Amino acid sequence: MTNIILFGPPGSGKGTQATKLAEKYNLIHISTGDLFRYEMGNDTPLGLEAKSFIDKGELVPDSVTIGMLENKMNKHPEANGFILDGFPRTIKQSEALDEIFANKNMAISALLSLDVNKEELVKRLLERGKTSGRADDVDPEIISNRISVYHEQTAPVYNYYDKKDLSKTIDGIGSIEEIFDRLCNAISA
Ligand code: AMP
């Protein structure tokens, strides 16, 4: 069973690459950002709560996010493995994830971190904002906040898994296919 955490700052290409990896390795792709957007689109209580954080570029509280992720994983007992995109984003989420996996007698195979510089991230997010319909991709101040939040709260997750010898940095600059090949090589290594 292969369980991958696809890691990296907003705009690093996690969603695009996770979709391709899920198809190639027959994994269930879970994007917590997509799950929140689905809830927001349906005006559910969870969506309304999440929106107040997402619109500012802040993280949704762990208590909400962890429960949502676990529910989604529980819907796929048949899974051949998971690819997590946008989760975990805090140390607390990492600890919760380890517990969820341990309870299922499963383990994380690797954390693959897409490395992209800030200038390129901002450029990509503003470009995506022209068509994504995402309020958090349009305003340069919110984009900047999302990148700061990543450095302050999310980057430590890399070290958390590095201590378990699971983290690997992948160059996230290049064509979609080039980056995909790098990720596939890392998974088969
Ligand atoms: P994303 O689509 O991964 O860029 O996520 C969009 C937004 O959803 C983030 O800026 C956060 O506000 C929220 N979000 C997504 N995943 C998480 C998470 N694991 N923890 C907290 N907030 C999250």
Side-chain angles (χ1 to χ4, degrees):
M1 184 179 247
T2 306
N3 295 301
I4 304 286
I5 297 171
L6 196 56
F7 194 72
S12 57
K14 298 187 296 295
T16 304
Q17 296 294 342
T19 304
K20 289 171 69 68
L21 291 169
E23 195 184 329
K24 172 162 175 164
Y25 294 101
N26 187 24
L27 306 174
I28 301 289
H29 173 193
I30 302 182
S31 154
T32 41
D34 283 350
L35 293 177
F36 283 131
R37 282 183 286 278
Y38 178 81
E39 298 287 335
M40 291 193 294
N42 287 291
D43 285 332
T44 66
L46 173 62
L48 291 172
E49 185 179 0
K51 186 172 164 49
S52 60
F53 297 94
I54 293 174
D55 282 355
K56 287 184 280 189
E58 301 289 338
L59 294 184
V60 180
D62 288 332
S63 52
V64 178
T65 308
I66 291 165
M68 182 181 72
L69 184 275
E70 189 170 12
N71 275 341
K72 183 72 183 176
M73 281 185 70
N74 287 341
K75 287 194 180 131
H76 294 280
E78 81 300 345
N80 181 42
F82 292 91
I83 181 150
L84 303 181
D85 152 12
F87 187 97
R89 261 174 155 104
T90 63
I91 295 292
K92 191 139 181 247
Q93 291 180 16
S94 311
E95 290 167 351
L97 183 65
D98 284 355
E99 206 178 309
I100 293 169
F101 272 110
N103 288 338
K104 294 181 186 295
N105 282 322
M106 285 162 40
I108 290 157
S109 316
L111 176 150
L112 304 177
S113 176
L114 292 169
D115 183 28
V116 177
N117 61 63
K118 182 170 178 186
E119 196 189 341
E120 175 73 13
L121 294 174
V122 173
K123 198 175 98 189
R124 287 186 190 178
L125 289 169
L126 286 172
E127 190 57 36
R128 185 170 79 185
K130 289 181 190 165
T131 53
S132 68
R134 285 179 55 171
D136 59 346
D137 282 347
V138 179
D139 183 334
E141 251 178 63
I142 293 172
I143 288 178
S144 195
N145 191 39
R146 288 166 66 199
I147 296 172
S148 301
V149 165
Y150 171 81
H151 287 295
E152 285 156 22
Q153 299 182 52
T154 303
V157 168
Y158 183 95
N159 295 334
Y160 177 90
Y161 287 103
D162 198 32
K163 286 195 190 121
K164 301 173 193 271
D165 233 5
L166 293 172
S167 295
K168 208 168 205 174
T169 300
I170 307 292
D171 181 1
I173 302 279
S175 70
I176 290 173
E177 287 308 322
E178 279 164 353
I179 299 163
F180 182 60
D181 284 348
R182 288 175 203 146
L183 289 164
C184 293
N185 288 339
I187 290 171
S188 42

